[in-house]
Amino acid sequence: MSDSVPRRDTRGIVDPAELLSRVRFRRHAPAAELRPYLEHYWLIDWELPEPYASHVVPHPSVNVVFQRYGPLGAPASAAHASAEVSGIGLGLATHKLTETGRVCGIQFRPGGFRPFAPGWPVSTWTGRRVPLPEVFPDTGGGGAAATSGGGSAAMSGGGAAVTSGGGAAGTSADLMSAVLSPGTDHARVAALDAFLLAHGPAPDPAADRAMELVDLVRGDRSVRRVSQLAAASGLSARSLQRLFAAEVGVGPKWVILRYRIHEARERAEAAGAAGAPDWAALAAELGYSDQAHLVRDFTATIGVPPTAYARGLSLP
């Protein structure tokens, strides 16, 4: 995923056509020296006459999210802004969008976040969303308490503007303005590049190894069990667990299951137009013990069974 061209799939987005009809969504590649660690930057702008809820099945990725939102017609100075580190989400994420807003996000490769915040295992942030200064202390003073679940954590304190030379200076307002205020995507991407380059990446062979192994899981459908991944890595299952907890944030079994669900969801979505797939055959193809196992995992993650999802039923 260190390619200069961001991926174009909508994997993980529930009902992507509906989302893309309501918001401006695009991805951009980071600076060359950051590409080994990042999937992409993702930018969203919206202006909605009525509230809209989007649903996302999270990837095994950490995100850094800058966001600004406010009422229709309000000046930029009246908008609320926040910046947070969003650890790997363990369940379906629901994002409620209202009125006007802008989000500038950084999606790290699974295993790619630790080189920028080497002081903690990545599992520290799993299932949590915390104000940016809690992870990057040099970005300022006070902030809101850490939150978990589907809400947004507002940051009400310090920050740091990032200079083109890679240093940090200024105030929280400078950082927010640098990332969220520019009218062009190019300027927003440059601000995100500068922010990250001011914080690393620090060399981390363990992170490099973890990224390689997650790529193997993502690209090789025959890797269905932790024992297979351990054998491919030359590590014991216990060592593999420790590596993933520290560098990815979740265990290898979770990563394998999550990529299975992403594929099953895409198959279910395609089935809405092309006719129902053979769920039993798909379960076997994805490494489930049987169709019931696939249905339980899909339902626990998405909120409805795959057949209901394929029929286009609303999520709860």
Side-chain angles (χ1 to χ4, degrees):
M1 295 297 110
S2 58
D3 201 317
S4 61
V5 178
R7 61 183 177 83
R8 298 182 181 277
D9 65 80
T10 56
R11 179 163 287 195
I13 301 174
V14 177
D15 199 354
E18 179 70 14
L19 173 68
L20 297 178
S21 72
R22 295 174 180 266
V23 306
R24 288 187 61 232
F25 176 87
R26 55 263 190 228
R27 296 184 177 117
H28 292 284
E33 53 267 61
L34 296 170
R35 289 173 194 163
Y37 307 94
L38 270 62
E39 296 277 6
H40 49 250
Y41 298 136
W42 51 277
L43 310 182
I44 302 178
D45 295 274
W46 68 87
E47 184 170 328
L48 298 171
E50 57 187 27
Y52 167 71
S54 68
H55 305 280
V56 177
V57 180
H59 292 259
S61 299
V62 174
N63 286 261
V64 170
V65 183
F66 296 85
Q67 54 196 338
R68 188 182 75 193
Y69 52 94
L72 288 168
S77 59
H80 300 283
S82 68
E84 63 189 18
V85 171
S86 179
I88 296 173
L90 298 177
L92 186 72
T94 298
H95 304 281
K96 296 181 179 179
L97 309 181
T98 61
E99 301 180 303
T100 64
R102 169 174 294 174
V103 176
C104 298
I106 304 167
Q107 184 174 337
F108 293 83
R109 291 178 62 191
F113 182 70
R114 184 76 183 274
F116 297 88
W120 303 271
V122 180
S123 57
T124 303
W125 319 116
T126 298
R128 303 174 63 206
R129 303 216 306 238
V130 301
L132 196 67
E134 191 167 322
V135 186
F136 300 99
D138 68 326
T139 59
T147 64
S148 62
S152 295
M155 185 177 74
S156 61
V162 181
T163 68
S164 60
T171 66
S172 174
D174 294 328
L175 178 59
M176 295 296 182
S177 179
V179 174
L180 293 169
S181 293
T184 68
D185 285 7
H186 176 79
R188 297 183 214 174
V189 166
L192 293 171
D193 280 343
F195 166 72
L196 286 179
L197 290 171
H199 292 91
D204 186 344
D208 295 340
R209 185 65 172 137
M211 287 188 283
E212 291 173 2
L213 292 174
V214 174
D215 280 349
L216 178 62
V217 171
R218 177 159 45 184
D220 187 346
R221 194 182 296 162
S222 69
V223 179
R224 301 171 178 175
R225 293 175 176 81
V226 174
S227 60
Q228 293 172 305
L229 186 61
S233 69
L235 299 172
S236 69
R238 181 168 294 183
S239 295
L240 192 64
Q241 294 281 359
R242 287 197 295 264
L243 175 69
F244 270 58
E247 306 294 336
V248 180
V250 289
K253 181 179 179 180
W254 192 96
V255 173
I256 292 169
L257 290 172
R258 181 47 50 96
Y259 282 130
R260 285 178 180 173
I261 287 297
H262 279 304
E263 183 156 355
R265 188 201 61 79
E266 286 186 331
R267 298 286 190 94
E269 195 163 89
D278 183 337
W279 295 112
L282 178 60
E285 182 182 342
L286 296 178
Y288 285 94
S289 57
D290 53 29
Q291 180 177 342
H293 186 190
L294 167 61
V295 170
R296 286 196 302 272
D297 198 11
F298 191 102
T299 304
T301 304
I302 306 296
V304 294
T307 51
Y309 184 82
R311 292 197 303 268
L313 297 183
S314 298
L315 292 170

